[in-house]
Structure formats: structure tokens, C-alpha cells
Amino acid sequence: MERTVPPAPSDAPAPEAPAPDTCFPDTAGLLDGMPRQRVRGAANASGAPLTPPATAAPDTGFRLPRLLRLLPTPAGTPFTFGYGAVLALVSLVSAHLDPGVVHTLHQGSSTDVAHLLRTPVLVLVASALWIAGGILSPYALALLFVLTALERRIGGVRTAGVFLLGHIGATLATEVPIGLAVLAGQLPASSLHRLDYGVSFGVAASLGALAGLLRPWLRWPLLALFGWVLVTDLLAFTDPLTDWGHPIALAIGVATWPLVWRRHRRLVAAGQGLSFGSGRP
């Protein structure tokens, strides 16, 4: 015999499936109020996994943090912050000293030919601790913003290197011809003791280096504006040697473009450099 089950009579009523609400109480309202604890593993009716919709980050419209990048900070720009603090301290102390004492200190820090022959390292460092015109002079404000922007793009060590390169290079380029002219009898011996100090050569070189990291629409107007100021000073003929040192320092900064761009590109690739507003020269 075959193992078969006799079919049910055709006129027999089909069994009814129990309604879900007959076995359990009405919990639809309770389930709607419970938190979703398995959003990551949930699936829709077709079996495709459900993912929560991405929410856009709120736009606060608060741009002050970006504006603060223009100013030095101890963590972000340690060289500019520390150097600016030293300059501010020196200016504050000198403002309360006797003018005769300040003049003596200026003479001892001067990068003239006589001092460069005796103590070159000492006067090259000491002369960079004074700001001609005070802490509110144009070069003091330019130092604050230019060094901050440059350090955020190439780091503190290389920013200090660019500053010192312009400061030392322009100083030697203006003082060495004076010494040669005195030896040749073209200038009096008193020219060996001319007063020369300040941060302007370093600032000019740093601005020239920074211009190579800016977009062309900002780079060339900045260089043209600063160049116009330097030409105006040369035409005024008030201090020809120092005024010639500024375009020399600017040219030194421009000559560092390949080096600063290479360093800037490495920092940006490592996620440590500021890429906003940068452009290949």
C-alpha cells in the first residue's frame, strides 16, 4: 500500500489563520514609542538593509576661528608667538628707560661694519630684537601677520630660516660695500659706525617668501604694493643704504619660492599645513 493521506472533502471549510490581535494585546502604540536599537542590522520588506539617512553638519556661520588664524598662537605658530612676545617685551622695557640708555643699547646692537668685524653673531642677533619706530610701526604689524601666515604654511623652523636669511643677507649686502668704499677712500671712516638695527629686512624676506604660496590674484598685487612702497622710500633718499636693503631682502624671499613650496606641499600632504589660499608660483 502507498503511504498517502486522504484528501479533505471539497465542501469542508478551510481553517482560518488566527488574527494577530487575538493572541496578543494591542501593542502598536507601545512599539511606536520605543527607540530603534538595531538600526544597523534592520532590513526592509525586500531584504535590503536599512541605513539611517545622513544628516548634514549644521552651518553655524561663525567665521571667527578662521580669522584667528591670522594671529599667532603658542601651539599653532610657536616661533612667531615667541618672537613677537620677546619684541613686545623689549619695546615695553625700552619705553620706560632713559632715552640715552636706549640710544646706547641701539649703538651696541647696530650691524655696522665695525661691529660686524668684531662680534658678527652677537650684533646680528641683537639687532633683530629692536623695532625701528616702536611696537605699533608698520613693520611690527607686518611681522605679526606675515610670519604667522608663513609659519602656518611651512613650519616654524623654516620660517625662522627665511627671516634670518633675509636679515643677514640684506645686512651684509648693504654693509660690505660700505667697508670697501671706506678702504678705497670713497667714504669717511665714520661710515663704519652708522646706526643700523631692526626687523625690516627679515620681514621683507618673509613677505617675499609668503607671496610664492599665495594665489596669483593675491600674490602679484601684494608684491606690486610692497614694491611701490620700497620705490617711494628710495626716491625720498632719506636712508639710501637701508632703503636698498629692503628690495634686496624681498628678492631673497622670492628666491626661496621653490624651497618653501616644496615644504608647504609636504605639510599639506601630511595634513599639517594650511592649504587655504595657496597656489603654485
Side-chain angles (χ1 to χ4, degrees):
M1 294 189 301
E2 296 181 358
R3 300 180 62 179
T4 58
V5 178
S10 59
D11 56 350
E16 296 181 0
D21 54 352
T22 58
C23 299
F24 302 97
D26 186 7
T27 57
L30 295 177
L31 293 178
D32 291 340
M34 295 179 64
R36 297 182 179 180
Q37 300 179 5
R38 292 188 177 182
V39 176
R40 182 175 301 177
N44 56 14
S46 62
L50 294 177
T51 56
T55 57
D59 186 9
T60 59
F62 187 62
R63 298 299 181 183
L64 185 58
R66 175 164 290 183
L67 294 178
L68 290 178
R69 287 180 172 268
L70 300 176
L71 300 176
T73 58
T77 55
F79 166 70
T80 304
F81 186 87
Y83 185 41
V86 171
L87 291 176
L89 180 61
V90 171
S91 299
L92 181 63
V93 172
S94 62
H96 293 80
L97 293 177
D98 183 81
V101 176
V102 175
H103 182 70
T104 302
L105 293 175
H106 286 168
Q107 285 183 328
S109 305
S110 176
T111 52
D112 52 46
V113 177
H115 282 103
L116 287 175
L117 290 176
R118 291 196 301 265
T119 55
V121 177
L122 177 62
V123 294
L124 284 172
V125 174
S127 63
L129 300 179
W130 301 95
I131 302 177
I135 195 66
L136 296 180
S137 66
Y139 276 103
L141 299 178
L143 180 142
L144 185 69
F145 294 109
V146 170
L147 289 189
T148 298
L150 185 61
E151 185 172 359
R152 290 192 183 278
R153 286 165 172 81
I154 65 173
V157 175
R158 285 163 179 79
T159 299
V162 171
F163 182 89
L164 290 176
L165 185 63
H167 176 68
I168 297 174
T171 297
L172 296 178
T174 53
E175 294 296 338
V176 170
I178 294 178
L180 297 177
V182 172
L183 290 177
Q186 301 296 323
L187 289 176
S190 59
S191 300
L192 300 176
H193 303 278
R194 61 185 295 269
L195 198 61
D196 188 14
Y197 63 91
V199 300
S200 58
F201 290 167
V203 172
S206 300
L207 188 144
L210 176 63
L213 300 175
L214 301 177
R215 299 288 185 183
W217 64 267
L218 181 59
R219 176 192 311 148
W220 302 118
L222 179 63
L223 291 177
L225 177 61
F226 189 62
W228 177 79
V229 173
L230 299 184
V231 171
T232 303
D233 292 340
L234 285 172
L235 294 178
F237 209 72
T238 56
D239 190 358
L241 292 177
T242 299
D243 293 338
W244 272 111
H246 292 145
I248 292 174
L250 180 65
I252 291 175
V254 171
T256 63
W257 281 3
L259 299 177
V260 298
W261 173 256
R262 189 179 301 115
R263 175 60 179 174
H264 171 65
R265 184 174 56 184
R266 290 176 181 174
L267 289 181
V268 171
Q272 300 175 2
L274 181 63
S275 61
F276 175 76
S278 61
R280 181 89 184 236

